[in-house]
Amino acid sequence: MKPDYERILISENEIAARIAELAAELDRDYADKDALFVCILKGSVFFFSDLLKEMKTMPVIDFMAASSYGNATVSSGTLNITKDLCVSVQGKHVVLIEDIVDSGFTLSRLKEHLLSRHPLSVRICTLLNKPDRRTVDVEVDYCGFDIPDEFVVGYGLDYAEKYRNEKDIYILSRSVYGG
Ligand code: IMP
Ligand code: MG
């Protein structure tokens, strides 16, 4: 084990198996719909790509970026949309693809923001969910894994922009961020 990590939380194989199940669920729900799948940058890129490759449905895809974290491990409480969509949401069933729902702040704000542009629907699909940390109510429609209140990295998830390209998801040692 590399010294920065406490242990593996979810392995590459477990991620792949769960993504295949999520893709099947989404295929069932979106096969006959005009869908727009939105990758929330940057943490979701690996999840987004692997999920979409497993799907038979071919939605329009686009990217959004928002930041509320800076380099800390707790939310700063304000959300900046740093990159907006390039395509219109009108007439579309939107699915937001996120790496992790923690306090719920980011996704509740993003969902609100998109709903104001009148899409047909907005749903949330997240790889990871930390239910114990929720402070803002947000409905998670598709979830890969509920995880405990630990800071995790890898498979897209970062701490201060590091560790994103690990294949597995690790619990970061508290000594790294002084938690
Ligand atoms: P929320 O607004 O508190 O729900 O935070 C969501 C964002 O915080 C995610 O998109 C991540 O970028 C970041 N985040 C929350 N928990 C973790 C974690 O354990 N590891 C890495 N990033 C995290
Ligand atoms: Mg994120």
Side-chain angles (χ1 to χ4, degrees), residues 40-44 66-67 69 98-100 106 156-158 164:
I40 312 296
L41 297 170
K42 303 176 213 172
S44 312
S67 67
Y69 259 61
E98 178 62 299
D99 50 358
I100 185 163
T106 306
L157 292 133
D158 74 307
R164 289 194 197 273

Side-chain angles (χ1 to χ4, degrees), residues 34-173:
D34 218 348
L36 167 63
F37 277 47
V38 178
C39 175
I40 312 296
L41 297 170
K42 303 176 213 172
S44 312
V45 282
F46 298 94
F47 175 46
F48 186 75
S49 155
D50 287 343
L51 180 69
L52 270 283
K53 283 188 288 180
E54 284 295 319
M55 287 179 61
K56 295 186 178 65
T57 312
M58 292 187 190
V60 173
I61 68 169
D62 206 352
F63 301 86
M64 266 184 110
S67 67
S68 70
Y69 259 61
N71 284 348
T73 56
V74 287
S75 180
S76 68
T78 53
L79 187 78
N80 293 322
I81 292 173
T82 51
K83 190 218 167 293
D84 210 335
L85 295 175
C86 296
V87 303
S88 168
V89 301
Q90 285 191 15
K92 293 271 192 287
H93 291 279
V94 178
V95 182
L96 299 177
I97 310 291
E98 178 62 299
D99 50 358
I100 185 163
V101 183
D102 186 34
S103 69
F105 177 77
T106 306
L107 276 177
S108 72
R109 290 292 301 275
L110 279 179
K111 186 172 175 176
E112 218 171 80
H113 178 77
L114 289 178
L115 281 171
S116 73
R117 299 180 190 169
H118 309 294
L120 294 176
S121 67
V122 178
R123 281 186 180 167
I124 289 171
C125 172
T126 185
L127 177 64
L128 305 176
N129 183 35
K130 286 186 193 171
D132 298 345
R133 298 256 310 167
R134 198 74 87 252
T135 56
V136 181
D137 218 15
V138 63
E139 192 174 342
V140 175
D141 303 282
Y142 305 90
C143 171
F145 303 90
D146 279 338
I147 65 166
D149 180 10
E150 299 279 2
F151 200 83
V152 293
V153 295
Y155 196 66
L157 292 133
D158 74 307
Y159 172 67
E161 296 300 326
K162 213 175 145 187
Y163 313 107
R164 289 194 197 273
N165 60 320
E166 291 283 7
K167 293 191 174 82
D168 307 288
I169 294 172
Y170 294 86
I171 293 176
L172 189 65
S173 293

